[in-house]
């Protein structure tokens, strides 16, 4: 039974986004404190608040940057103008940084709760802390970590080296698994777990999958980009420890009881589109499929074949066709009617959210197996990833058999790696858009994704700039990064 959605994020102190911690409160008997706000009361809010940022702003950014979404330029002017022109500044998607720091403070509060009574809850918090801090590093590089989430004890946290943070995130995953395995008399997790409803074996599988992603994100630097011997040795050791463990084979869904009762109770992605009005919406009318993505799924691309996922990812235009927006073109240059976001993504207020999909898990395994770092057949995992992507939408992949290198399982190892990234680009469309954007930054795949016609740069940014909130509140510590550097340098694994 799902926890009622009125278990809300218990954030009391929000002084500085990068170090907020809701347990930093006074001793008033009328205010929550660590003695009364136990981890079981915090967990659902922590999970749902972080997912909200993933489902909305991170998803939008990734889908636009990977040319899967466009704007309804026939009804709106200036839609996605900053994204299309690549006008990166300190206000560009700054809420990703702010919101993730604010909401991950609750995971840290669970971890810091005294005693061993809630070790299972602490394990979940460690897994999800690693999950979202990986994204903070991937998008910003060096960030506050060791001194983060100290509340009023430290309002200006120092920035840690991003490579060091990554290794600590791997350690957090290992510690989480150990807590699960040795939880003993610790309290069981129940309906406050709005992902797995207390099934800790599933959390172990998710932990292994997150660890696999952490390791693979560094693999290009270690084995190809920089031939980093020390990093390669570290990764080889970690891959060996991970080999033989279980990864997720079904979608990691989140649903605390989403409904259409109030806007705040809706699935956050659905609410982005419809805001509690299930018939008309300005927001839903704004987002449109991109011409590039729609034409690829139609099979109008060298080596591509028709893909029925088109009907789930995009809706028909007013003429009953699938027509996309060419990013950068205005209403005078665009087709008169454009395809909206599809019925497989925008279903209803109560739809499940997806923290991580089985498709992503299988495609991660395929890459690691192709590299020879974990056991198993890479081609089989690749196909399983495709099958899982179709299954998420209730579709069959039986008729989908691409054979061209870079799209299907054929050609050289480099071409197979690109095929993994191409299938990830399709599978995560509208679900976790930011993931394939980050993977593109790492690998350069899928190649050939066009920039908007209005782009002021020949390449996409490799990172985001630190938000204005940090420049104001933590000026003595925040690194200086220019707009030009955002295109030239990324996180450590991209160097």
């Amino acid at each position: 039974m799902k926890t009622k959605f009125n278990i809300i994020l218990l954030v009391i102190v929000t002084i500085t986004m990068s170090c907020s911690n809701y347990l930093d409160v006074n001793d008033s008997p009328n205010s929550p404190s660590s003695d009364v706000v136990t981890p079981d009361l915090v967990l659902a809010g922590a999970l749902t608040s972080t997912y909200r940022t993933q489902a909305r702003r991170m998803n939008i950014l990734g889908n636009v940057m990977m040319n899967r979404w466009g704007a309804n330029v026939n009804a709106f002017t200036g839609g996605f103008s900053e994204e299309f022109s690549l006008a990166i500044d300190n206000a560009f998607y700054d809420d990703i940084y702010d919101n993730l720091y604010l909401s991950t403070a609750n995971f840290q509060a669970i971890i810091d709760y005294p005693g061993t009574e809630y070790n299972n809850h602490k394990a979940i918090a460690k897994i999800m802390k690693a999950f979202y801090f990986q994204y903070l590093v991937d998008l910003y590089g060096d960030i506050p970590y060791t001194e983060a989430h100290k509340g009023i004890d430290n309002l200006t946290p120092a920035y840690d080296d991003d490579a060091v943070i990554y290794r600590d995130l791997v350690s957090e995953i290992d510690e989480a698994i150990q807590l699960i395995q040795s939880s003993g008399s610790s309290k069981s997790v129940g309906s406050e777990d709005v992902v797995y409803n207390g099934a800790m074996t599933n959390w172990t599988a998710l932990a292994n999958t997150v660890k696999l992603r952490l390791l693979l994100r560094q693999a290009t630097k270690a084995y190809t980009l920089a031939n980093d011997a020390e990093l390669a040795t570290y990764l080889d050791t970690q891959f060996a420890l991970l080999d033989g463990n279980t990864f997720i084979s079904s979608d990691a869904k989140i649903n605390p009881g989403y409904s259409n009762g109030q806007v705040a109770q809706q699935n956050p992605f659905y609410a982005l589109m419809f805001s509690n009005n299930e018939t008309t919406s300005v927001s839903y009318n704004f987002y449109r499929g991109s011409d590039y993505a729609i034409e690829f799924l139609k099979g109008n691309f060298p080596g591509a074949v028709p893909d029925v996922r088109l009907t789930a990812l995009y809706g028909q235009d007013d003429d009953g066709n699938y027509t996309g927006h060419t990013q950068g073109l205005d209403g005078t240059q665009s087709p008169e009617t454009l395809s909206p976001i599809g019925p497989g993504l925008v279903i209803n207020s109560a739809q499940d959210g997806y923290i991580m999909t089985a498709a992503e898990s299988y495609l991660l395994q395929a890459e690691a197996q192709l590299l020879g770092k974990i056991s198993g057949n890479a081609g089989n995992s690749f196909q399983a990833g495709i099958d899982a992507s179709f299954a998420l939408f209730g579709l069959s992949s039986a008729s989908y058999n691409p054979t061209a290198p870079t799209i299907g399982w054929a050609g050289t190892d480099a071409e197979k790696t690109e095929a993994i990234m191409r299938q990830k680009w399709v599978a995560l469309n509208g679900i976790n858009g930011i993931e394939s954007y980050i993977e593109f930054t790492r690998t350069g795949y899928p190649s050939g994704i066009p920039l908007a016609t209005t782009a002021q740069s020949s390449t996409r940014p490799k990172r985001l700039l630190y938000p204005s909130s940090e420049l104001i509140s933590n000026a003595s510590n925040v690194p200086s990064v220019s707009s030009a550097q955002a295109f030239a340098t990324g996180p450590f694994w991209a160097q």
Side-chain angles (χ1 to χ4, degrees):
M1 179 178 179
K2 297 292 186 183
T3 301
K4 292 183 179 179
F5 190 74
N6 60 4
I7 297 180
I8 60 172
L9 176 64
L10 297 171
V11 177
I12 306 301
V13 177
T14 58
I15 300 172
T16 303
M17 294 299 184
S18 61
C19 57
S20 298
N21 185 324
Y22 79 95
L23 290 180
D24 288 316
V25 294
N26 58 37
D27 294 327
S28 168
N30 298 316
S31 299
S33 71
S34 61
D35 294 329
V36 294
V37 185
T38 53
D40 55 325
L41 298 178
V42 181
L43 183 60
L47 290 166
T48 54
S49 61
T50 44
Y51 173 68
R52 179 183 177 86
T53 301
Q54 176 186 347
R56 292 165 69 105
R57 295 295 283 170
M58 293 166 67
N59 198 17
I60 294 168
L61 176 61
N63 284 306
V64 175
M65 286 296 187
M66 285 289 91
N67 207 325
R68 292 177 292 211
W69 286 5
N72 187 358
V73 292
N74 300 314
F76 300 86
T77 58
F80 289 135
S81 60
E82 292 180 346
E83 293 89 336
F84 293 163
S85 66
L86 301 177
I88 307 300
D89 60 21
N90 298 99
F92 186 81
Y93 284 80
D94 57 349
D95 50 343
I96 292 177
Y97 184 101
D98 290 342
N99 290 340
L100 285 186
Y101 263 107
L102 180 62
S103 54
T104 54
N106 292 281
F107 291 130
Q108 190 62 51
I110 293 172
I111 294 167
D112 292 340
Y113 191 83
T116 60
E117 185 179 10
Y118 291 95
N119 274 0
N120 282 316
H121 295 79
K122 292 182 180 184
I124 294 172
K126 282 178 175 288
I127 295 164
M128 296 312 299
K129 174 188 173 183
F131 184 98
Y132 286 110
F133 264 91
Q134 176 178 16
Y135 280 129
L136 282 166
V137 170
D138 292 343
L139 293 172
Y140 295 97
D142 295 350
I143 55 171
Y145 182 72
T146 306
E147 296 182 4
H149 301 324
K150 301 295 185 182
I152 58 175
D153 291 335
N154 189 346
L155 299 178
T156 56
Y159 278 64
D160 293 281
D161 180 83
D162 51 358
V164 175
I165 296 171
Y166 245 60
R167 295 206 181 183
D168 195 74
L169 296 179
V170 170
S171 296
E172 287 275 16
I173 293 291
D174 291 340
E175 291 167 9
I177 294 172
Q178 291 171 5
L179 284 174
I180 294 170
Q181 293 173 341
S182 61
S183 58
S185 60
S186 297
K187 285 183 176 292
S188 297
V189 182
S191 59
E192 68 271 22
D193 172 8
V194 295
V195 179
Y196 287 128
N197 198 35
M200 300 309 294
T201 54
N202 290 342
W203 277 109
T204 299
L206 180 60
N208 290 328
T209 312
V210 175
K211 181 175 179 178
L212 180 62
R213 187 169 70 184
L214 282 161
L215 300 181
L216 283 173
R217 199 81 94 215
Q218 306 170 76
T220 302
K221 175 180 174 62
Y223 304 124
T224 305
L225 185 64
N227 291 317
D228 187 324
E230 188 279 331
L231 179 57
T233 299
Y234 166 78
L235 292 181
D236 287 345
T237 300
Q238 292 299 324
F239 278 124
L241 293 171
L242 190 58
D243 191 21
N245 286 286
T246 302
F247 305 102
I248 63 169
S249 57
S250 59
D251 302 318
K253 301 176 184 179
I254 181 169
N255 197 325
Y258 294 130
S259 74
N260 64 356
Q262 297 179 15
V263 173
Q265 294 174 313
Q266 293 181 247
N267 171 286
F269 180 76
Y270 186 87
L272 171 70
M273 297 293 174
F274 279 101
S275 298
N276 211 38
N277 185 333
E278 301 192 19
T279 56
T280 60
S281 170
V282 172
S283 296
Y284 179 69
N285 288 332
F286 171 76
Y287 296 97
R288 289 296 180 262
S290 77
D291 176 71
Y292 175 76
I294 287 176
E295 292 305 310
F296 179 87
L297 293 169
K298 285 181 178 178
N300 298 331
F301 185 95
V305 297
D307 188 334
V308 72
R309 285 176 291 183
L310 170 69
T311 63
L313 295 170
Y314 302 104
Q316 294 179 334
D317 61 25
D318 293 342
D319 297 324
N321 302 313
Y322 292 94
T323 308
H325 170 228
T326 299
Q327 292 185 339
L329 296 187
D330 61 27
T332 65
Q333 304 164 308
S334 181
E336 293 183 1
T337 180
L338 298 165
S339 290
I341 306 305
L345 297 174
V346 184
I347 305 169
N348 57 49
S349 299
Q351 69 187 61
D352 292 328
Y354 297 93
I355 290 178
M356 185 179 249
T357 65
E360 181 185 351
S361 172
Y362 284 122
L363 292 171
L364 287 168
Q365 293 172 61
E367 183 182 1
Q369 289 160 349
L370 183 63
L371 288 169
K373 300 304 176 183
I374 63 171
S375 57
N377 186 294
N380 290 346
S381 294
F382 176 78
Q383 185 60 50
I386 293 173
D387 295 344
S389 174
F390 277 80
L392 186 148
F393 299 115
L395 301 170
S396 170
S397 60
S399 63
Y400 180 74
N401 296 296
T403 58
T406 75
I407 298 174
W409 197 250
T412 65
D413 283 359
E415 289 170 325
K416 290 176 180 176
T417 300
E418 179 162 5
I420 292 170
M421 298 306 156
R422 173 63 72 176
Q423 291 301 330
K424 194 175 292 189
W425 176 81
V426 177
L428 297 180
N429 185 342
I431 295 173
N432 189 11
I434 200 67
E435 177 61 26
S436 53
Y437 176 35
I438 293 169
E439 289 288 67
F440 174 85
T441 301
R442 173 172 74 94
T443 66
Y445 299 141
S447 59
I449 297 178
L451 294 165
T453 61
T454 52
Q456 299 175 8
S457 171
S458 61
T459 61
R460 291 172 174 82
K462 295 182 177 181
R463 55 161 298 151
L464 300 181
L465 298 182
Y466 296 112
S468 299
S469 60
E470 279 294 282
L471 298 178
I472 294 170
S473 66
N474 199 12
S476 61
N477 289 315
V478 63
S480 176
V481 181
S482 67
S483 295
Q485 288 175 307
F487 291 85
T489 61
F492 77 97
W493 47 254
Q495 307 300 327

